[in-house]
Amino acid sequence: MDTRILSGELKENITYAAELLRRGEVVAMPTETVYGLAADAGSEAAVVKIFAAKGRPQDNPLIVHIADIRQLADICEDIPPQAYALAERFWPGPLTMVLKKSGSVCGAVTCGLDTVGVRMPAHDVAARLIRACGRPLAAPSANSSGRPSPTTAAHVLEDMAGKIPCIIDGGACSVGVESTVVDMRGETPVILRPGAVTEEMIAAVLGGAATDGAAEHGLQNGEQPRSPGMKYRHYAPRAELTLLEGSPEATAEKMRAICGEYDAALCFDDYAEELAKCCGAVFTLGESFDHREHARRLFAVLRDIDAHGAERVCVQSPRICGRNAATVNRLRRACGFKTVRCGEKQIIGVTGRSGSGKSEFCRELRAWGAEVLDADGIYKELLEDSAELNAAIAARFPSARSTSGIDRVKLAEIVFADSTERTDLNAITHAFVIREMKRRMAAAESGTVVLDVPLLFESGLDRVCTVTVGMICPDELLLRRITERDGIDEARARARLAAQNGTEYYDRRCDILLENSGDIAALKKKIKAFAAKYTM
Ligand code: TXA
Ligand code: MG
């Protein structure tokens, strides 16, 4: 069979593929997560072809894809209101819900289970194809069973050439890892496979959520999987992986020490240049804070590593929390859950705009036994006490010198008037503050240290953290809080806010976002749930 790649932009290609599907053929389609291998979910004969093309075990059920919420009631029964609440919030998008199935889903899809996984993909091409076909489509990831999932049409071709009539090309997948699979049948939703919709995001809608232990640590001896997919070694390149877990700094240090023994390293961009000096080949996942990029690149880079022929690879893991859960889960599975922990302490970096609730966070974490290091406070202390810092500032800003050291009012005037001067001052003070924070971090007796740092990412302190938290708060609420707290008028408060990073900035970088919507009791509850999970 000749396998054609057809552009998803052309309407006639969608029409053609929909016709193939209605005739019982299998077609590869793009989704926002990974490419899927689709067939009519109501046709036993068509679905059987998916299993054959993938070489998929007969007991691993498929996800059914819909394009309209009304299709949900056709394929499921006893749908709880919680499922509609999640659909409302996350569909179309990377969330699959396991629900009780109805008679219209054929047995081959669910492998005889009485449940079915359903999702509404957000990719425009997938949605158009489902609509054009007029039926729900069963679709697993479009890789050969056991291989990394495909995130481009070219990856699909690598695995499926000669096995299916066509691949609809919709470009590179924007998410890059498969959807979150959540079992909706019990009281609390249970995540069976982590994805871009995290436990925290589901809990924010439903008030609670859990992740199945096997999804985090693999199946223990004799344990029965809640999802058949857990049994199989997925996402695996041919190479043997050693996964280093901890803060980016801690894992980088370990990597420097051992990577000479490996054929290749997979690391963050931040460390690529130096690791290239001691390791044969270096592959990268993106900058260390960039959780979305890690997910987008992961499967492609695992394929690249195989193409390179590396047999043993050491891997710098993204932080094992929050929005990294999906990437970390795929990496853990790829290495058979054999991981190396680097660093002992839990280092929680908290950041956000002024007034967003950082102090509330620190107060609560202190109550849980964490030691809190406040960057602004340490800066003030050093200005008072450190002759070395005062000398460094005086050398660069001689006009701010005074008999007792530094004239702070003068210094403030200089740096507020000129951004170059401000940058220079920051470079001096950041170095001192960072050094002092690292010293206190190492000396801390508590297993959990919180770093309260307004410029967490700009200072690079995010790299010593095992968790980064962004406190976010709507502009209007922040304005009210700043005007009340600091006694300034609205215009000045607005100007101050405009000079700070917005929510999007934190959303891109932080592992976990805690939203402060002004309801202090609700905020406390979120922080408590965080503390229960992340303090050591
Ligand atoms: O993002 C995705 O979900 C992609 C795209 C194509 O939509 N699809 C995907 O399908 O990843 P697949 O077949 O590679 O993974 C489906 C996972 C398997 O681990 C399977 O065991 C689990 O979902 N699953 C499916 N139906 C289930 C059910 N009824 N109960 C428990 N687990 C189920
Ligand atoms: Mg798969």
Side-chain angles (χ1 to χ4, degrees):
M1 189 189 300
D2 208 23
T3 303
R4 295 167 65 197
I5 297 191
L6 304 174
S7 164
E9 276 172 23
L10 297 179
K11 189 165 177 238
E12 67 242 41
N13 289 340
I14 303 285
T15 311
Y16 170 71
E19 184 50 37
L20 284 176
L21 287 164
R22 271 197 302 268
R23 286 209 311 257
E25 291 301 327
V26 172
V27 165
M29 66 171 178
T31 82
E32 76 281 22
T33 57
V34 301
Y35 275 72
L37 207 52
D40 177 352
S43 160
E44 191 91 20
V47 171
V48 165
K49 290 182 189 168
I50 295 179
F51 283 84
K54 273 185 71 90
R56 184 174 177 104
Q58 296 294 329
D59 64 348
N60 197 5
L62 309 181
I63 293 170
V64 176
H65 297 67
I66 59 176
D68 187 308
I69 190 74
R70 279 168 299 191
Q71 290 177 303
L72 184 61
D74 296 337
I75 48 185
C76 300
E77 282 172 6
D78 302 338
I79 304 166
Q82 289 89 328
Y84 282 106
L86 291 189
E88 170 83 27
R89 173 69 186 78
F90 299 113
W91 278 359
L95 178 75
T96 296
M97 292 193 270
V98 172
L99 294 158
K100 189 163 171 220
K101 76 163 210 171
S102 79
S104 75
V105 180
C106 75
V109 169
T110 58
C111 301
L113 298 177
D114 58 0
T115 57
V116 60
V118 190
R119 122 169 161 91
M120 190 191 291
H123 200 295
D124 167 62
V125 171
R128 278 161 50 217
L129 187 59
I130 299 165
R131 282 198 201 102
C133 175
R135 301 165 195 180
L137 297 178
S141 50
N143 51 292
S144 298
S145 204
R147 290 267 287 150
S149 294
T151 53
T152 64
H155 294 161
V156 180
L157 192 65
E158 267 175 37
D159 288 13
M160 292 297 147
K163 296 179 180 163
I164 57 173
C166 83
I167 300 167
I168 306 293
D169 188 349
C173 300
S174 60
V175 175
V177 290
E178 305 88 342
S179 62
T180 306
V181 176
V182 58
D183 187 344
M184 296 302 294
R185 289 168 307 150
E187 191 67 5
T188 310
V190 180
I191 293 176
L192 305 178
R193 179 177 73 182
V197 175
T198 64
E199 187 183 306
E200 287 84 1
M201 288 155 74
I202 293 175
V205 177
L206 299 182
T211 299
D212 189 81
E216 284 184 330
H217 308 291
L219 281 172
Q220 308 303 307
N221 272 343
E223 185 182 356
Q224 280 302 312
R226 276 182 79 146
S227 168
M230 290 170 169
K231 283 190 304 222
Y232 301 103
R233 181 168 180 248
H234 275 303
Y235 323 114
R238 285 179 267 272
E240 183 192 324
L241 307 183
T242 300
L243 188 63
L244 309 180
E245 295 187 346
S247 71
E249 289 283 284
T251 51
E253 191 185 323
K254 180 78 180 169
M255 216 159 198
R256 280 190 283 269
I258 64 168
C259 76
E261 301 158 26
Y262 289 80
D263 305 327
L266 173 57
C267 67
F268 301 126
D269 294 6
D270 327 25
Y271 305 99
E273 212 180 298
E274 56 161 323
L275 287 172
K277 292 178 196 143
C278 51
C279 191
V282 173
F283 296 87
T284 57
L285 273 179
E287 286 184 84
S288 58
F289 65 78
D290 199 346
H291 49 84
R292 290 205 181 90
E293 185 67 10
H294 304 161
R296 265 194 297 268
R297 280 202 212 171
L298 178 70
F299 287 133
V301 93
L302 291 181
R303 281 177 184 258
D304 290 346
I305 285 172
D306 271 351
H308 177 78
E311 286 179 4
R312 297 179 68 241
V313 184
C314 70
V315 182
Q316 193 170 24
S317 173
R319 300 183 179 92
I320 50 172
C321 59
R323 271 140 12 137
N324 307 306
T327 308
V328 171
N329 168 266
R330 306 311 184 264
L331 280 169
R332 282 182 168 180
R333 297 183 68 148
C335 75
F337 292 91
K338 286 189 301 280
T339 59
V340 179
R341 164 123 191 122
C342 310
E344 267 127 45
K345 290 196 173 91
Q346 181 79 296
I347 311 288
I348 302 168
V350 61
T351 186
R353 300 189 282 185
S354 50
S356 61
K358 286 198 301 293
S359 348
E360 196 57 51
F361 181 88
C362 294
R363 219 184 343 267
E364 183 65 34
L365 270 285
R366 241 186 232 112
W368 285 75
E371 186 161 331
V372 177
L373 302 177
D374 155 28
D376 287 344
I378 289 178
Y379 172 51
K380 285 187 191 119
E381 274 179 49
L382 288 176
L383 262 190
E384 293 286 335
D385 307 335
S386 164
E388 211 187 327
L389 173 60
N390 279 278
I393 296 175
R396 170 62 184 78
F397 300 95
S399 58
R401 253 184 212 149
S402 75
T403 43
S404 59
I406 297 292
D407 179 343
R408 279 198 232 163
V409 178
K410 194 78 202 286
L411 184 63
E413 271 170 22
I414 300 171
V415 300
F416 274 117
D418 186 332
S419 70
T420 325
E421 306 275 353
R422 198 155 62 231
T423 310
D424 280 7
L425 178 65
N426 281 343
I428 298 171
T429 57
H430 280 175
F432 277 85
V433 173
I434 289 168
R435 200 172 66 188
E436 181 60 16
M437 285 191 101
K438 284 188 177 169
R439 195 187 64 73
R440 293 193 197 183
M441 226 172 75
E445 277 173 15
S446 170
T448 306
V449 179
V450 174
L451 308 183
D452 174 359
V453 191
L455 300 178
L456 184 66
F457 297 95
E458 295 88 336
S459 66
L461 274 170
D462 60 307
R463 295 197 190 100
V464 306
C465 296
T466 51
V467 187
T468 60
V469 178
M471 303 295 299
I472 55 168
C473 187
D475 279 8
E476 290 314 305
L477 186 66
L478 270 185
L479 276 179
R480 222 171 52 227
R481 291 191 61 166
I482 298 175
T483 46
E484 280 165 17
R485 192 188 63 183
D486 301 349
I488 57 176
D489 62 33
E490 195 182 311
R492 281 190 56 197
R494 269 189 202 284
R496 195 194 284 183
L497 268 192
Q500 296 184 6
N501 296 313
T503 296
E504 203 184 300
Y505 175 92
Y506 299 107
D507 183 44
R508 245 202 92 195
R509 292 166 177 79
C510 295
D511 304 324
I512 293 173
L513 292 183
L514 292 180
E515 188 172 353
N516 175 3
S517 54
D519 175 346
I520 194 76
L523 178 65
K524 278 193 171 146
K525 194 173 157 211
K526 282 182 209 165
I527 300 174
K528 275 199 171 78
F530 172 91
K533 190 161 173 193
Y534 289 105
T535 50
M536 287 201 335

